[in-house]
Amino acid sequence: MDGASHPSVRSTCPYCGVGCGVKLRADGAGGLSVKGDPDHPANRGRLCSKGHALGQTVGLEDRLLTPHVHGTKASWDEALTLVAQRFSDTIAKHGPDSVAFYVSGQLLTEDYYVANKLMKGFIGSANIDTNSRLCMASTVAGHKRAFGTDTVPGTYEDLEQADLVVLTGSNLAWCHPVLYQRLAAARKERGTKIVVIDPRRTATCDIADLHLKLKLGTDVALFNGLLAHLGKTGALDAQFLKTHTSGIDEAITAASADDPATTGLDPADIARFYAMFAATERTVTVFSQGVNQSTSGTDKVNAILNCHLATGRIGKPGMGPFSVTGQPNAMGGRETGGLSNMLAVHLDLETAEHRTAVQTFWSAPRIAKRPGLKAVDMFQAVAEGRIKALWIACTNPAVSMPDADAVRAAIKGCDFTVVSDITGQTDTARLAHVLLPATGWGEKDGTVTNSDRTISRQRAALPAPGLARPDWAIFTEVGRRMGWQDAFDYAAPSEIFREHAALSGIAARLGRDFDISGLADLTDADYDALAPTRWPVTAARAGGRFFGDGRFFTPDGRARILPVRQRAPAAKRTARYPFRLNTGRTRDQWHTMTRTGLASRLARHLAEPFLQLHPQDATALNLHPADIAQVQSPHGTALLRVLISDDATLGAPFAPIHWTGETAPAARIDTLIAPACDPISGQPESKASVIAIERFDAAWYGFAVAANKPNPDAAYWARVRTDLGWRLELAGATPETDWPALACRLFGLQSDPQILTDRASGLSRLAFADPHGRLTAALFVSPEPVAVARDYVAGLIGQPLGSVLAARPSGASPDPGPTICSCMGVGANTLLAAASECGTDLDRVCAATGAGQTCGSCRSEITSLISRFALRDAAE
Ligand SMILES: Nc1nc2c(c(=O)[nH]1)N[C@H]1C(S)=C(S)[C@@H](COP(=O)(O)OP(=O)(O)OC[C@H]3O[C@@H](n4cnc5c(=O)[nH]c(N)nc54)[C@H](O)[C@@H]3O)O[C@H]1N2
Ligand SMILES: Nc1nc2c(c(=O)[nH]1)N[C@H]1C(S)=C(S)[C@@H](COP(=O)(O)OP(=O)(O)OC[C@H]3O[C@@H](n4cnc5c(=O)[nH]c(N)nc54)[C@H](O)[C@@H]3O)O[C@H]1N2
Ligand code: SF4
Ligand SMILES: [Mo]
């Protein structure tokens, strides 16, 4: 088919909460080209490395294409009837609170709306919670305490109009790359001052005027110190405080009782930050998981909101607190009431008037009267057999929940588990009794809301593969089969959206912020054509900011400034567990890698799980680069590659969250995390568990490449895709004598490999060839960490066997080194070579190599690479 029969479709990137617009064009053979949408207000055509690689993730190789019941293919009718029956029977026998849904901020608003309606209005329990509990719950609770509603006051433009942007607990450069680029561009133009507050040095620090490397978990002390400072120096907005807020005196008294020295920061740096904040009217404070994921997450949020409310810096151009959301529809989930302590459309479960309004609107037989179980408690209830039927949709809790081994065991032991996913190959899906194939991004239609309240359409550009169905349709079918035909009689997402929009009008009349009643009468054609729209959308109002007028959604209309106090993380360091484990994201992977893991170019950035350790910690532990560390917590164990860096925090190493039973089973990071939660938000403390670290005494180390997926059996392994197949890191706990046998098992091959052993280093190379003498698989093993040029070797699949046995780059094709620019596949060595030829100017190096010009996510890494090169050069 030609391009003309596949018109460009406007949609939204399915990853982070920036919510970039994309233009998609199907090639008619299952492929998809993806470009940034120049007309989308979030990104104006830009995309980051993950957005750029979307086209590489739509293949059907790992897709779940049919329903499965007890591991066997089944028809939809069979699967849905069973789900409806088991849920109905369980409810009849044990009551509505014996069942639960665990859903996701990656569902579309329409999916979310029907799941929530089914549970809260028809089943009559509030046992629906979402992975947003692990993500945004503390912000939701903090917003509600201060504003009366869960309202994000500002817009992305505020970051561009500010004179000071404070980023706390946010690695914006890697996690919200396009917003970071907008900020970096604004800084270039207007000289925005930037302060980063993070216990480790991140890529975001590249544009920081000040990096406050505070002790993990001490944000409240820092912001309380700021509030006290603002009070002492007369920087408060007395008029705003008097007319629009309450609680300032109590808050300042509490704040003054905390000591900013708790942060461990240099007092001069603290003073500089406080002076900058006090002096700058146009200040935005961006916060994310370093704030939310804490047992004092809600207090951290309010400590930040306090400083903005006390200075009246909220809801006006270039100022305000700004929670950047993680998932593409974290906001939509909050709007539809996907959390177990919310109703729908920002109405409160605890308020009888709100419950009645929703029940009446839905014509629901019942309505949940009290909050349901929050994620951690929900899986605890599953473990204890109190939840007997569980439906997990669009999330992978066996990996991402704290105490992940216990969660995995709980799911496994549940009487009846349903999983809806796009793939059956996840740690969670493998435990399901019923597996339901969902349509994925690129195939589904609906809406998402990004961090700045902009509602965008996701539109299908590809047909649904196999028997896959949209999530809203699956929930709807089960609702009907449970006996509620009329309430779940939707034929299209537009019908659900209109209902949601109409309900929001009722919420607005009850004094809530979320109001999109202006969209309640969209025709199907209007819905199809809906351009990105920031809420609220009413007859009277469209978009804009909240709270600039000083009117809040509390009963007295005043914002609450709250007294909060610094508290240490829940787990205490002991002689047995002397370190804290910080966790988070890397630039090119998304969560449990079910989609980004399909794009070989994204695997080049950081192809292995790692423990980023401070050099002093490494020395004390006698750990060297590329060693493997054995990490233990009171909850579990993990093996991680040692990466030594000054960027790390002394005493608090960092590890990525992305690795799973499918990709690196010894490195599932949440097995280490304590299930300790914030008492108000119920959000787990995912970044501050205590751990012990020691050297893993590997008997051998290995590296492998293969055309076909290898199946390792070793104490440690990590497997990613390459352009030509797969690559694998390995380490064994026990000595191995028969390498050819191990290699044959690993690759599923019967033939004899060619072997070359270097007696001096002990490195053995085992290479397998096809009948034409071309390389199909190779294994390198050594008593020491294997030193070969990884990307180079991965590129030898299909080449004559001799090249791999030599395993060093020939003159004709120099080893490009580890990939820095994933969009263009430019390696560190190529960049260094360019720097030596054309100097260390970033733009020149980028121009010479093609790096850093597509999405720009790697520009900070190129800068630090070439600056290190310049230093080395100067020293020589
Ligand atoms: N590449 C990529 N981007 C993503 C995602 C992804 O998986 N990959 N996921 C998306 C999602 S769902 C989310 S929620 C966001 C998360 O976006 P971020 O919150 O920016 O990402 P994290 O890496 O989890 O954590 C941010 C930083 O918090 C710091 N931190 C840890 N403890 C503390 C502390 O006590 N105080 C302070 N001030 N900082 C601390 C960490 O060192 C880390 O650098 O990213 C979104 N974007
Ligand atoms: N230690 C630690 N743990 C953390 C965090 C941390 O910083 N540290 N961060 C937490 C945060 S903020 C988050 S958001 C979570 C994320 O954790 P998860 O939500 O568990 O991670 P994902 O890999 O995004 O899971 C999404 C699942 O949905 C599937 N999927 C994709 N599209 C669709 C679809 O359209 N329909 C359906 N039905 N399924 C689909 C994917 O294949 C995948 O299995 O992790 C949390 N866990
Ligand atoms: S910044 Fe990147 S991951 Fe986030 S929405 Fe935009 S393209 Fe997608
Ligand atoms: Mo998240």
Side-chain angles (χ1 to χ4, degrees), residues 104 106-107 131 134-135 289 293 327 393-397 400-401 420-423 426 438-441 444 471 583-585 590-595 657 669-670 673 686-687:
S104 162
Q106 293 165 72
L107 287 173
N131 61 1
L134 319 177
C135 182
Q289 298 315 337
Q293 287 172 339
Q327 300 177 91
C394 202
T395 174
N396 194 357
S400 56
M401 284 285 296
S420 316
D421 205 298
I422 55 168
T423 168
T426 76
T439 46
W441 174 83
K444 55 197 280 181
D471 287 290
T583 65
R585 290 148 175 83
W590 177 263
H591 297 164
T592 69
M593 292 169 63
T594 60
R595 286 173 291 165
I657 60 171
I669 217 64
D670 272 294
I673 305 296
S686 308
K687 296 188 182 328

Side-chain angles (χ1 to χ4, degrees), residues 44-61:
R44 299 268 172 238
R46 295 184 182 95
L47 291 179
C48 76
S49 47
K50 294 180 295 301
H52 269 292
L54 273 167
Q56 265 200 346
T57 66
V58 295
L60 300 183
E61 196 183 326

Side-chain angles (χ1 to χ4, degrees), residues 118-442:
L118 177 57
M119 183 53 87
K120 291 193 181 130
F122 290 79
I123 291 176
S125 166
N127 281 346
I128 172 169
D129 210 35
T130 137
N131 61 1
S132 281
R133 183 68 62 193
L134 319 177
C135 182
M136 303 315 305
S138 297
T139 291
V140 174
H143 281 165
K144 285 183 79 171
R145 285 207 299 190
F147 309 147
T149 44
D150 172 24
T151 315
V152 173
T155 69
Y156 290 156
E157 288 73 37
D158 291 327
L159 272 77
E160 294 167 323
Q161 295 166 0
D163 295 316
L164 171 65
V165 174
V166 180
L167 296 141
T168 182
S170 155
N171 184 7
L172 205 73
W174 280 10
C175 297
H176 299 89
V178 167
L179 190 56
Y180 173 82
Q181 286 168 35
R182 286 179 62 169
L183 175 61
R187 173 178 181 260
K188 222 171 178 176
E189 221 165 77
R190 61 183 289 144
T192 321
K193 291 279 177 270
I194 292 171
V195 177
V196 173
I197 304 169
D198 194 306
R200 65 190 181 114
R201 190 187 182 285
T202 64
T204 308
C205 297
D206 289 349
I207 58 165
D209 298 277
L210 180 62
H211 173 208
L212 299 175
K213 208 170 172 181
L214 84 178
K215 269 197 209 146
L216 217 86
T218 60
D219 305 70
V220 173
L222 184 68
F223 280 90
N224 266 351
L226 174 59
L227 185 67
H229 173 86
L230 296 169
K232 272 190 278 195
T233 54
L236 303 180
D237 183 336
Q239 187 57 37
F240 189 84
L241 282 170
K242 191 163 155 249
T243 340
H244 300 303
T245 72
S246 65
I248 183 67
D249 295 338
E250 296 84 338
I252 290 201
T253 306
S256 308
D258 273 347
D259 184 356
T262 314
T263 57
L265 292 166
D266 180 344
D269 284 342
I270 298 180
R272 212 177 132 204
F273 167 50
Y274 289 177
M276 280 162 94
F277 195 104
T280 317
E281 174 78 1
R282 283 179 172 240
T283 295
V284 171
T285 306
V286 172
F287 56 98
S288 187
Q289 298 315 337
V291 168
N292 292 337
Q293 287 172 339
S294 157
T295 47
S296 47
T298 309
D299 285 351
K300 286 188 185 188
V301 170
N302 286 108
I304 295 167
L305 302 186
N306 283 351
C307 294
H308 279 271
L309 289 168
T311 48
R313 292 180 195 155
I314 190 162
K316 295 179 211 134
M319 57 187 92
F322 202 106
S323 144
V324 280
T325 52
Q327 300 177 91
N329 202 28
M331 292 281 274
R334 286 144 74 174
E335 290 150 18
T336 53
L339 289 161
S340 63
N341 53 325
M342 289 165 45
L343 198 44
V345 288
H346 286 192
L347 289 172
D348 294 326
L349 202 56
E350 292 88 348
T351 309
E353 192 189 10
H354 292 188
R355 287 199 304 269
T356 307
V358 176
Q359 184 175 0
T360 308
F361 180 84
W362 280 343
S363 307
R366 49 189 80 80
I367 191 95
K369 290 199 173 45
R370 55 194 155 86
L373 294 168
K374 301 186 171 98
V376 169
D377 297 335
M378 183 183 278
F379 285 98
Q380 185 63 38
V382 173
E384 290 167 8
R386 286 182 282 128
I387 298 289
K388 298 173 197 303
L390 173 67
W391 187 349
I392 298 165
C394 202
T395 174
N396 194 357
V399 182
S400 56
M401 284 285 296
D403 204 0
D405 282 346
V407 168
R408 189 169 63 178
I411 299 171
K412 196 167 179 198
C414 188
D415 288 354
F416 186 66
T417 306
V418 183
V419 171
S420 316
D421 205 298
I422 55 168
T423 168
Q425 296 171 45
T426 76
D427 293 18
T428 304
R430 290 194 188 281
L431 306 172
H433 297 112
V434 178
L435 254 179
L436 303 175
T439 46
W441 174 83

Side-chain angles (χ1 to χ4, degrees), residues 8 55 117 165 178 329 448 531 546 560 563 614 652 741 773 778 792 806 814 827:
S8 170
K117 178 177 177 180
V165 174
V178 167
N329 202 28
V448 289
F546 279 95
R560 304 271 181 267
H614 192 277
Y792 171 74

